[in-house]
């Protein structure tokens, strides 16, 4: 009597061990890709919700896992120590701080400037009329975020130093709570937190990034991962470009997908927030980093960086090289 028999990978491995053929049999063909992101990582969140990267990278036997962080600084810290392989977009300030800490990071994509996607806001009835009025006031800001640089730049334009205000370093959620409860005089934040506050609270804008801060967002990996897996970065880059193009062409549909991912926000608020971002994904080139040097110099000048940073001394992966 004959019958068919199926063999599991474990059974095949046991047979290989017994026959000395283990070198010819891969134990596990899949390679992990651990992606770190935050709530403001719009395009990565879209790709995650739609399962796009799992589908495309699965063709290369890449196994994707997702890891959410509250803000960009701990995200890049996790990248630097090897807990994740790829960082979704972070504000332009964050890599500067990582560089100052000696992180071995590589830029592999950026989103074109979105200066109106962050702003300094006060309550509608606040007596403060301009950034110059912030002298001696308490301002909620997320440390090392893009909004942190916006605050420094706005103060400098008004003839003030960062030391002229009282910073309250808070996460976006805590900053919103402090602002709403009048525990701070002003709040500096970014999208989608900005449009949410504008919709739900009576606010007034003291300044946004126009003529002050370009607010580019960068995607990063480690230098080791960039060297070992350029084909993975190439796939992620292509899908990010597609996602940005799709979002701009379908703003309402994108908002409906993102709203539940962003804590059940009204899709209209999400659409309004997304309208402030460029979502134009581009390759990073050396001349893309000019604003990075301005940021590094401003933070060092304010005594917020431990040492000067040369932003040209960083690895850049480009799809044109592949």
């Amino acid at each position: 009597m004959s019958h068919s028999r199926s063999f599991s990978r474990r059974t095949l491995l046991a047979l290989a061990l017994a026959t000395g053929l283990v070198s010819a049999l891969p134990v596990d063909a899949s390679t992990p890709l651990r992606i770190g992101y935050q709530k403001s990582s719009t395009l990565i969140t879209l790709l995650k919700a739609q399962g796009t990267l799992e589908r495309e990278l699965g063709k290369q036997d890449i196994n994707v896992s997702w890891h959410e962080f509250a803000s960009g600084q701990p995200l890049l810290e996790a990248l630097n120590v090897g807990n994740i392989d790829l960082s979704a977009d972070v504000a332009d300030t964050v890599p500067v701080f990582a560089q100052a800490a000696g992180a071995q990071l590589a830029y592999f994509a950026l989103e074109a400037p979105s200066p109106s996607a962050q702003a300094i806001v006060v309550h509608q009835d606040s007596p403060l009329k301009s950034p110059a009025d912030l002298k001696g006031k308490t301002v909620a800001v997320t440390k090392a975020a893009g909004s942190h640089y916006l605050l420094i730049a706005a103060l400098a334009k008004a003839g003030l130093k960062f030391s002229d205000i009282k910073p309250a370093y808070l996460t976006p959620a805590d900053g919103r709570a402090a602002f709403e409860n009048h525990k701070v005089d002003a709040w500096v934040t970014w999208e989608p937190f900005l449009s949410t506050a504008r919709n739900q609270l009576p606010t007034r804008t003291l300044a946004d990034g126009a003529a002050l801060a370009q607010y580019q967002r960068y995607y990063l990996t480690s230098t080791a991962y960039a060297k070992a897996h350029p084909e993975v970065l190439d796939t992620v880059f292509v899908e990010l470009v597609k996602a940005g193009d799709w979002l701009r062409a379908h703003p309402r549909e994108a908002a409906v997908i993102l709203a539940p991912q962003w804590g059940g926000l009204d899709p209209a608020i999400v659409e309004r927030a997304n309208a402030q971002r460029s979502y134009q994904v581009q390759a990073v080139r050396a001349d893309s980093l000019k604003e990075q040097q301005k940021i590094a110099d401003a933070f060092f000048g304010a005594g917020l960086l431990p040492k000067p940073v040369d932003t040209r001394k960083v690895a850049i992966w480009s799809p044109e090289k592949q």
Side-chain angles (χ1 to χ4, degrees), residues 168-313:
Y169 290 124
L170 299 170
T171 65
D174 291 340
R176 163 66 186 263
F179 179 72
E180 188 171 359
N181 292 303
H182 294 266
K183 302 294 185 183
V184 295
D185 300 296
W187 180 32
V188 198
T189 193
W190 63 95
E191 297 293 3
F193 311 106
L194 184 57
S195 285
T196 304
R198 284 170 168 166
N199 183 78
Q200 298 173 350
L201 303 171
T203 66
R204 187 160 38 79
T205 300
L206 290 188
D208 64 15
L212 290 173
Q214 290 184 3
Y215 191 52
Q216 297 183 120
R217 294 183 68 89
Y218 289 91
Y219 297 80
L220 297 104
T221 185
S222 67
T223 52
Y225 193 89
K227 291 178 182 178
H229 301 286
E231 72 290 344
V232 175
L233 297 183
D234 192 57
T235 298
V236 175
F237 181 85
V238 168
E239 295 307 323
L240 284 170
V241 172
K242 290 180 182 177
D245 292 345
W246 183 85
L247 184 151
R248 294 195 306 278
H250 304 87
R252 181 63 182 180
E253 294 93 323
V256 169
I257 294 172
L258 290 165
Q261 309 295 325
W262 288 352
L265 283 180
D266 182 341
I269 296 177
V270 176
E271 187 173 355
R272 193 175 307 142
N274 285 340
Q276 306 306 315
R277 293 266 298 272
S278 72
Y279 295 123
Q280 295 175 350
V281 177
Q282 304 172 354
V284 181
R285 295 179 175 84
D287 60 0
S288 306
L289 304 179
K290 291 179 180 178
E291 177 92 346
Q292 296 298 84
Q293 193 60 56
K294 289 173 59 179
I295 292 169
D297 294 344
F299 275 102
F300 180 71
L304 299 172
L305 272 183
K307 61 182 181 180
V309 170
D310 185 348
T311 58
R312 296 169 300 178
K313 295 182 178 179

